[in-house]
Amino acid sequence: MTSTQANGAFEVKLNPEPLSGVAEGAGLGRMSLDKTFHGDLVATSRGEMLAFRSSEPGSAGYVAMEKVTGTLHGRDGSFVLQHSSTMTRGVPEQSISVVPDSGTGELVGLLGRMVISIAEGQHSYAFDYTLA
């Protein structure tokens, strides 16, 4: 299978959400995600994130799940992205992957990894994927 790359920009809205007693006691934060993707992926997504910010400046981590619905290089459908990312004293490490077998419609069989970049407050993505 040949890998294809999709690129573009996106906007994200993060909204604080109530925590469970366990999460609150652990010092976690919970946010809802609402994104709008542009470029090769024309889509919206909704999801949730759990995050922790260390007392060390620039160190944090988050996990998230989001369902993306729209068009990827002209193919309609949806898929789920799983995030697990950290920042160590300002140095990011990302793992954002398509959940296997989460693709629907013309995106059935989608697998891939996304990298998010933030420059001057603008978010962009590079999404390397294969489609069975």
Side-chain angles (χ1 to χ4, degrees):
M1 254 181 275
T2 303
S3 181
T4 304
Q5 187 172 83
N7 295 283
F10 69 94
E11 293 90 40
V12 61
K13 292 179 186 171
L14 299 172
N15 295 305
E17 297 291 337
L19 292 169
S20 70
V22 171
E24 190 171 7
L28 302 179
R30 179 175 164 232
M31 307 282 246
S32 64
L33 302 168
D34 289 300
K35 292 183 183 173
T36 303
F37 292 90
H38 309 282
D40 298 325
L41 174 62
V42 178
T44 58
S45 76
R46 296 191 50 119
E48 280 202 5
M49 169 175 42
L50 284 175
F52 179 81
R53 186 176 305 259
S54 169
S55 60
E56 178 70 36
S59 292
Y62 81 91
V63 294
M65 300 292 283
E66 66 178 305
K67 183 176 183 180
V68 180
T69 304
T71 304
L72 175 61
H73 279 131
R75 292 186 167 101
D76 292 326
S78 67
F79 57 94
V80 175
L81 287 173
Q82 178 177 314
H83 301 238
S84 178
S85 299
T86 58
M87 175 119 25
T88 305
R89 296 179 186 95
V91 178
E93 185 175 325
Q94 296 180 20
S95 175
I96 305 169
S97 302
V98 174
V99 173
D101 298 315
S102 67
T104 68
E106 295 175 298
L107 300 177
V108 168
L110 180 72
L111 293 172
R113 297 180 69 79
M114 183 177 283
V115 174
I116 293 173
S117 299
I118 305 170
E120 298 178 16
Q122 301 297 311
H123 291 75
S124 62
Y125 65 87
F127 182 33
D128 291 309
Y129 70 91
T130 59
L131 194 54

